[in-house]
């Protein structure tokens, strides 16, 4: 038992050590370095909770170390220090019930405020109408429809900066979750229902977006890129798509829905003309057309038509 | 195991430690059954109105038949209580008669339920018709299955009664099957109210 | 013990008559009365709960013997969990139809009415 | 020919070298077992002593052995996943195979490892702690075990026959439904869990009645050892939570096999309802596997600090509060479903509230050590390591409970790190602690201390190295359940894998220790190995099949501690009376074997076989109903002889 001190120290050093390893080992912690107001308010909440939690952890760890060091069975310990009949202390027990209650309250208030905040478009850009984007998933690709611009993209997304984006989330088949960690938290895409998610980018750049809710063999590739650019660039991109991209025919759309992976595509019309998977009528649209496609195991390699073999 | 700590007075079924433990255990099992059925009720409530292209409940539910089924089961619960009462009086004959009536009423209930299901299926509402009808058939069907199980179980116990007469063990078994039967009536009250009545109102 | 001398115990008869009356009352409230729907649903659910208690106390003798308290507590906790499951499921599952065009809006109303029923 | 085609293409899983390897080893192990049993003429012994036993102690041991085997399988799954994530470019596993492995890893660890391990410990210890001769319903207890064992067998069979389920242990619909996930694989999940769930429910009822009705005279509820209390509360949660799982599984089974529309996209079904029902059960389930571990730690910390438990009543009440709250927090598993501000706020707050009673327990454990005289034997080491690790898991749990922040944590490695910190530091450490603590009582010898410590340090350090980096992976945006990674997540993943290897070494040493101790450990001559405080230490080691020759009258908490002070034992010669014991029965085993057949038929949608199996099950029930075997009496003479032999070493 003589090197218990050393062991305890080693023990306490472990988290710190791995922290060091982390900072050197990994580039950036996307969630803690958000590029928009939604992610920003979530980050603030996270940092606030981390600080409170670190205090709790510190208190417990110090008390823990004190106990196992001071009260270990060692030769020559003061006999008076050992009190086998000591079995409780009401004051102390009340203290360590009330303090956690206070901490929980302290955490609840900002949590509830933020929850309600995130249900609305970010205040930072309240002067502008949010840009509506229908984000629909089908195994394992993303369709982004811009109803006002009447364009649609597959597996990538252009958004203007400093303007709220109102995502209307739905799915053509399995449940997915739209997540762009750099911009803010996620919400589920589900067939037959529609979720609304507000996000906003303040900085121009390209961000990773993905489905974070496991949905089968193509899950890892179920990703997309978000290009955030200033209003002008965005407008000119919209114009370019309108002028150069083909129309999305229903036939084309139906074949895109088949399970499999897909490359980046763009169209000068949206699938909302044919079906809205977020409605009760649209919920089994894909199943009716591609039921049999799920019978055979898919060997996904990426790119168009890969799922068809 | 102190299976034979006798209490010389009180109902036969409570006289051994084993009897008391079995009855308590069965009550706890009924607590689990409450949760089981409430999960089915929750599913039914959430899927209410999701009839897709199938008929809606208000078109199919008929008050007279539902009332008959309800009265059958209510009466059987009453007669079952009387059967237990006769058992406690030590009257094997009374127990046989009243339990027999109970089972007959239960069979009548089952008959109506089967007729009802067949009738609905003819009208285009069956298990695979829609989410609502799936929930309806599984909820009422689970109850019906419990009734069927209760009847078969009670028949087995009647045979054992005939073989062995009233002993602490047989009377405990009768008492437990009685609890089960009353409990099925409790469940039916809620099916009657929240499935049939509300289905007719909304 | 005096109850045991009778062929038909009074308690059971009272319970039986009570449940018949309650059943008829519920059936009347549902199809015979002009009450607004939420009222009907609330009242018939209350009647059902009363009937359930009649069964538990008068027929099943829930509180007899020294385990009576445990048995009653067990059933009550069962009812608590039941309310959590039913009300909780309805509450958490009634969402996402805000943009439903057509058929879904009906749904919404019905789910809400159901919610009333279970409170 | 067609039949052979079917066998090769659909029935047996083909095309994976790893699975061929597994098949070969399964066949070899089976042959070896059959050979050894036949060679040593042990079939009768196996049937008489184990397969038909209703003795809670033997059933407990069988539970623990099965759980260890499942821990091994789940652990191998984990290592395969770590290998894939360390070498993502190598195509060690393809996406499909990876999906199957994380699905079985999760399911096995929760349902077939954590629960049976704890139930095994409960089975062995609880009747001893309350001074009972068996559980309330020994026959039902055997039935529970065999339903678990056959359920686990069904689930594991999917590995080689028909294909493993691949929808995650949560099996969210519609992905797990018949349309998007055809074939028997998902049925294995549904039926395997269903069969073992029946047993768990029966265990819950059994322990509630046992603890309420079979306590030694004078042992009031507030004198119960804390592990028994935790078992009692756990059993209540089981009874009220498991029926929800039963229904949810049944509904999905009916969806898949009989074409109903509960969770489907067609017919206006509601896929989200599955998630709702799953977590209505799933959250209480978390407490089912954590509360007994809390009980174990409480026993051990008090024993090795050589002090009474600090704040006994607060410990009990905090468990009661946790049990109550566990039923009203389930939505925090799907905050991102979009149920709106009111729902998310409510469930955020209820979830965070659970931290309060948990915090009380942590501080009470620290209080127990205050002014104690702590010895650092292996069981105590596991219990001590639990405190800091679990606190890390707990506070990150509070962070996850904050719905607004959860939108960023959900489905990421932050979550993975959190629940492994809770479930490994809580449940797995608890199982190891409990097993090493009660090992001498079960098997008559201690586990080797030196090997125990080696295994402990490897496992605990490995655990932290493995899972701590995952919090940061979550912040870096790595989703869970992905079989391939981005380059920037590489360093942390390699670190985690190193940790996993250390844990594997720890586990291997633990298992080797079982063998080593069996061979070389000194046999116990005394029932009270650790200077214990609760009644299980009052019996001799090995425990006679009737547990207590005479049941002592209990005069206060910490029954055995008091008995030692007053010089009393559980063998008071003049008070010995014949003891009534239940008879063994083969019915549970046979009944669940029929259930196995029925399940297999249902999984493959061969309804004829399913019905045949079901008839077998019903027949067993009828046989049981007509069985009036009332058990047997152990004579006073036999008791005296047994006790004399067992107590020889003591004096």
């Amino acid at each position: 038992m003589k090197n218990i001190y050393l062991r305890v120290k080693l023990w306490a050093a472990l988290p710190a050590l791995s922290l060091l390893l982390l900072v050197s080992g990994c580039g950036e912690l996307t969630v803690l370095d958000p590029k928009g107001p939604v992610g920003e308010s979530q980050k603030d909440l996270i940092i606030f909770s981390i600080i409170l939690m670190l205090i709790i952890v510190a208190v417990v760890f110090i008390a823990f170390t004190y106990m196992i060091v001071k009260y270990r069975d060692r030769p020559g310990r003061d006999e008076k220090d050992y009190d086998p009949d000591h079995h409780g202390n009401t004051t102390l027990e009340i203290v360590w019930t009330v303090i956690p209650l206070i901490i929980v309250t302290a955490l609840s208030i900002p949590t509830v405020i933020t929850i309600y905040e995130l249900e609305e478009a970010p205040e930072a850009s309240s002067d502008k109408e949010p840009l509506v984007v229908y984000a629909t998933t089908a195994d394992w690709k993303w369709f982004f429809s811009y109803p006002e611009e009447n364009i649609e993209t597959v597996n990538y997304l252009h958004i203007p900066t400093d303007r709220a984006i109102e995502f209307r989330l739905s799915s053509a088949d399995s449940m997915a979750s739209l997540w762009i960690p750099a911009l803010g938290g996620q919400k589920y895409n589900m067939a037959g229902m529609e979720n609304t998610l507000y996000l906003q980018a303040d900085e121009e750049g390209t961000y990773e977006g993905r489905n974070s809710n496991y949905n089968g063999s193509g899950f890892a590739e179920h990703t997309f890129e978000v290009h955030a650019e200033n209003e002008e660039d965005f407008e000119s991109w919209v114009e370019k798509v309108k002028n150069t991209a083909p129309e999305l025919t229903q036939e084309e759309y139906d074949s895109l829905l088949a399970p499999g992976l897909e490359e980046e595509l763009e169209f000068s019309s949206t699938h909302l003309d044919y079906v809205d998977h977020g409605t009760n009528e649209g919920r089994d649209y894909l199943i009716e057309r591609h039921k049999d496609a799920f019978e055979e195991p898919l060997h996904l390699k990426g790119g168009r038509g890969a799922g068809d073999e | 195991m102190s299976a034979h700590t006798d209490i010389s007075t009180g109902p036969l079924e409570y006289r051994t430690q084993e009897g008391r433990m079995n009855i308590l255990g069965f009550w706890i099992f009924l607590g689990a059954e409450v949760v089981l059925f409430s999960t089915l009720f929750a599913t039914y409530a959430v899927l209410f109105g999701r009839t897709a292209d199938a008929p809606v409940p208000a078109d199919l539910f008929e008050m007279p038949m539902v009332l008959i089924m309800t009265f059958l089961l209510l009466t059987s619960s009453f007669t079952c209580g009387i059967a237990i009462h006769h058992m406690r009086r030590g009257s094997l004959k009374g127990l046989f008669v009243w339990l027999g009536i109970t089972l007959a009423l239960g069979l009548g209930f089952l008959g109506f339920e089967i007729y009802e299901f067949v009738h609905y299926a003819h009208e285009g509402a069956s298990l695979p018709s829609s989410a609502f009808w799936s929930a309806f058939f599984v909820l009422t069907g689970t109850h019906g299955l419990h009734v069927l199980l209760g009847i078969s179980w009670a028949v087995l116990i009647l045979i054992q009664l005939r073989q062995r007469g009233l002993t602490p063990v047989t009377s405990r078994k009768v008492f437990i099957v009685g609890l089960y039967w009353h409990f099925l009536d409790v469940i039916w009250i809620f099916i009657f109210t929240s499935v049939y009545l509300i289905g007719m109102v909304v | 013990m005096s109850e045991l001398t009778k062929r038909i115990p009074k308690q059971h008869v009272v319970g039986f008559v009570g449940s018949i009356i309650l059943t008829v009352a519920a059936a009347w409230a549902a199809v015979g009365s002009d009450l607004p729907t939420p009222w009907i649903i609330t009242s018939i659910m209350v009647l059902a709960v009363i009937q359930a208690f009649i069964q538990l106390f008068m027929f099943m003798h829930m509180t007899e013997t020294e385990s009576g308290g445990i048995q009653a507590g067990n059933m009550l906790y069962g009812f608590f969990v039941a309310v959590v499951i039913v009300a909780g499921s309805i509450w958490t599952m009634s969402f996402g139809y805000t943009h439903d065009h057509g058929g879904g809006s009906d749904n919404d109303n019905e789910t809400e009415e159901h919610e009333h029923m279970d409170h | 020919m067609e039949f052979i085609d079917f066998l090769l293409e659909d029935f047996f899983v083909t095309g994976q070298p790893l699975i061929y390897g597994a098949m070969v080893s399964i066949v070899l192990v089976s042959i070896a077992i059959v050979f050894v049993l036949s060679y040593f003429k042990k079939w009768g012994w196996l049937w008489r002593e184990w397969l038909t036993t209703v003795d809670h102690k033997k059933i407990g041991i069988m539970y623990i052995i099965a759980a260890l085997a499942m821990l091994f399988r789940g652990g191998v799954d984990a290592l395969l996943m770590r290998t894939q994530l360390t070498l993502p470019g190598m195509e060690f596993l393809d996406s499909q195979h990876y999906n199957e492995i994380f699905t079985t890893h999760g399911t096995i660890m929760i349902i077939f490892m954590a629960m049976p391990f704890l139930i095994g410990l409960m089975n062995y210890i609880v009747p001893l702690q309350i001074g009972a001769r068996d559980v309330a319903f020994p026959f039902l207890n055997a039935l529970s075990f065999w339903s678990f064992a056959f359920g686990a067998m069904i689930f594991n069979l999917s590995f080689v026959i028909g294909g493993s389920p691949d929808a995650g242990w949560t099996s969210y619909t519609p992905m797990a439904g018949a349309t998007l996930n055809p074939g028997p694989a998902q049925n294995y999940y549904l039926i395997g869990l269903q069969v073992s769930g029946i047993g768990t429910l029966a265990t819950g009822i059994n322990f509630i009645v046992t603890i309420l009705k079979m306590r030694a005279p004078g042992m009031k509820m507030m004198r119960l050892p804390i592990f028994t209390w935790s078992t009692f509360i756990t059993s209540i949660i089981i009874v009220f939570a498991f029926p929800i799982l039963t229904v949810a599984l049944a509904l999905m089974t009916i969806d898949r096999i009989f074409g109903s529309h509960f969770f489907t996209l067609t017919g206006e079904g509601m896929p989200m309802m599955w998630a709702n029902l799953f977590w209505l059960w799933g959250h209480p389930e978390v407490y089912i596997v954590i509360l007994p571990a809390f009980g174990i730690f409480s026993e051990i910390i008090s024993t090795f600090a050589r002090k009474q438990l600090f704040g006994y009543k607060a410990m009990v009440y905090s468990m009661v509060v946790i049990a109550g709250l566990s039923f009203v927090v389930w939505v925090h598993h799907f905050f991102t479903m979009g149920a709106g501000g009111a729902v998310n706020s409510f469930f955020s707050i209820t979830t965070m509230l659970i931290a309060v009673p948990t915090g009380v327990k942590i501080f009470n454990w620290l209080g127990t050590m205050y002014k104690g005289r702590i010895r650092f034997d292996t069981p105590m080491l596991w219990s001590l390591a639990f405190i800091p690790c679990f606190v890390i898991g707990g506070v990150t749990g509070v962070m996850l409970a904050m719905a607004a922040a959860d939108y960023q944590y959900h489905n990421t490695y932050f979550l993975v790190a959190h629940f492994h910190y809770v479930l490994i530091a809580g449940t797995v450490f608890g199982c190891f602690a409990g097993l090493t603590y009660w090992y001498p009582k079960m098997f008559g010898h201690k586990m080797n201390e030196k090997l125990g410590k080696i295994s402990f340090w490897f496992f605990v350090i490995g655990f932290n190295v493995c899972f701590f980096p995952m919090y940061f992976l979550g912040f870096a945006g790595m989703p869970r359940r992905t079989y391939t990674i981005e380059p920037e997540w590489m360093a942390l993943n390699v670190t985690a894998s190193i940790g996993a290897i250390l844990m594997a070494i720890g586990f291997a040493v633990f298992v080797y220790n079982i063998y080593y101790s069996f061979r070389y450990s000194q046999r116990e001559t005394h029932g009270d190995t650790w200077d214990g405080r609760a009644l299980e230490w009052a019996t001799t080691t090995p425990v006679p099949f009737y547990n207590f020759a005479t049941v002592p009258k209990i005069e206060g908490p910490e029954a055995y501690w008091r008995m030692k002070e007053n010089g009393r034992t559980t063998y008071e010669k003049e008070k010995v009376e014949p003891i009534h014991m239940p008879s063994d029965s083969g019915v549970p085993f046979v009944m669940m074997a029929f259930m196995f057949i029925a399940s297999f038929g249902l999984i493959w949608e061969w309804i004829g076989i399913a019905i045949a199996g079901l008839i077998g099950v019903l027949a067993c029930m009828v046989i049981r109903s007509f069985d009036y075997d009332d058990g047997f009496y152990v004579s006073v003479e036999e008791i005296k002889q047994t006790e004399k032999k067992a107590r020889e070493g003591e004096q």
Side-chain angles (χ1 to χ4, degrees), chain B residues 141-192:
Chain B
T142 306
H143 176 264
L145 209 64
H146 274 74
V147 173
L148 179 65
L149 211 73
I151 292 173
S152 337
W153 183 14
V155 169
L156 289 182
I157 289 167
L158 281 178
I159 298 170
Q160 289 167 29
L161 270 177
R162 176 127 277 171
Q163 290 171 343
R164 293 164 191 274
L166 277 177
T167 68
V169 180
T170 51
S171 59
R172 181 246 298 164
K173 289 188 176 191
V174 175
F175 185 74
I176 286 177
V177 88
L179 285 182
Y180 189 66
W181 196 263
H182 293 304
F183 178 76
L184 292 182
D185 197 38
V186 175
I187 297 298
W188 180 259
I189 293 164
F190 284 97
I191 292 181
F192 169 69

Side-chain angles (χ1 to χ4, degrees), chain A residues 1 4 7 11 14-15 18-19 21-22 25-32 39 42 45-46 48-50 53 56-57 59-61 63-64 66-68 71-74 77 79-89 92-93 96-97 100-101 104 107-108 111-112 114-116 118-119 139 172-175 177 179-188 190-191 193 195 208 210-221 280 283-284 286-287 291 294-295 300-301, chain D residues 95-96 99 102 166-168 172-175 179-180 182 264-272 305-312 314 333-334 336-338 340-342 344-345 348-349 352-353 355-356 360 362-364 366-367 369-376 384-385 387-389 391-392 395 398-399 402-412 453 457 460-461 464-465 468-469 472 474-484 486 488-489 491-492 495 533:
Chain A
M1 276 322 102
I4 186 82
R7 280 181 181 170
W11 235 99
L14 232 148
S18 44
L19 222 137
L21 222 137
L22 293 172
C26 97
E28 61 224 57
L29 302 175
T30 325
V31 169
L32 299 181
Q42 283 164 331
L45 193 61
I46 291 171
F48 173 64
S49 65
I50 289 182
M53 294 303 137
I56 296 172
V57 169
V59 169
V60 176
F61 277 34
F64 174 75
Y66 177 80
M67 296 298 173
I68 60 170
Y71 296 109
R72 70 188 201 277
D73 187 17
R74 58 180 195 273
R77 234 189 75 186
E79 263 308 309
K80 273 180 255 162
D81 228 14
Y82 174 53
D83 181 6
D85 294 326
H86 167 265
H87 62 268
N89 182 325
L92 267 178
E93 288 178 57
W96 63 53
T97 314
L101 270 174
V104 166
L107 287 169
S108 298
T111 303
V112 172
T114 317
I115 289 174
Y116 277 97
L118 297 182
E119 297 286 309
D139 286 355
D173 42 31
S174 52
M175 193 186 287
S177 186
W179 187 35
I180 308 166
L183 300 186
Q186 62 196 292
K187 252 186 197 175
Y188 285 166
M190 291 168 290
M193 2 202 328
N195 263 335
E208 297 288 326
R210 70 179 318 121
N211 162 27
S212 74
N213 192 61
Y214 169 68
N215 64 343
S217 39
F219 167 63
E221 285 89 12
N280 216 13
R283 67 208 310 261
D284 51 2
L286 182 142
I287 302 300
K291 192 177 184 310
F294 292 95
E295 297 277 347
L300 301 167
K301 276 282 174 274
Chain D
S95 135
Q96 176 64 26
N99 297 342
F102 75 68
D166 62 350
Y172 273 15
T173 50
M175 183 190 36
T179 318
L180 301 192
T264 59
L265 291 173
T266 48
E268 296 203 43
M270 195 159 182
M272 293 76 72
R306 286 188 256 182
K307 265 189 69 202
Q308 268 193 50
L309 190 64
F310 185 94
Y312 174 88
H333 293 272
F334 46 92
T336 53
M337 204 176 261
N344 282 0
S345 302
S348 276
I349 294 169
M352 282 191 265
L353 278 178
V356 178
V360 168
I362 299 273
F363 285 109
N364 279 358
L366 295 179
M369 290 190 277
Y370 174 73
K371 291 206 170 179
R373 208 197 248 160
I374 306 169
R375 287 173 306 179
F376 294 90
L384 289 178
I387 293 177
C389 294
V391 166
I392 295 175
V395 294
V398 174
M399 289 166 70
M402 303 161 72
D406 177 70
Y407 302 155
Q408 284 279 33
Y409 305 134
H410 186 63
N411 277 332
T412 67
K453 281 180 178 145
W457 285 108
V460 172
I461 292 172
N464 281 286
V465 174
F468 202 73
F472 294 87
F475 283 134
M478 180 168 168
R480 68 195 287 211
R481 295 174 168 180
T482 176
Y483 82 109
T484 180
E486 309 272 328
E488 64 258 33
W489 304 328
L492 289 177
T495 316
R533 315 178 81 86

Side-chain angles (χ1 to χ4, degrees), chain D residues 46 97 295 438 563 608 623:
Chain D
L46 184 68
H97 199 177
W438 284 307
M563 286 170 67
I623 289 170

Side-chain angles (χ1 to χ4, degrees), chain D residues 379-449:
Chain D
M380 186 59 167
L381 284 182
W382 287 109
S383 311
L384 289 178
F386 149 78
I387 293 177
C389 294
F390 190 80
V391 166
I392 295 175
V395 294
T396 49
V398 174
M399 289 166 70
L400 277 156
M402 303 161 72
D406 177 70
Y407 302 155
Q408 284 279 33
Y409 305 134
H410 186 63
N411 277 332
T412 67
Y413 263 73
F414 189 88
L415 172 74
V416 174
H418 157 70
F419 68 68
H420 282 93
Y421 257 90
V422 176
L423 287 173
I424 294 183
T427 311
V428 177
F429 286 13
C431 290
F432 285 160
L435 187 58
T436 39
Y437 179 55
W438 284 307
Y439 202 86
K441 181 93 321 195
M442 294 176 182
F443 300 103
H445 57 268
K446 272 194 203 177
M447 285 179 88
N448 183 281
E449 273 293 313

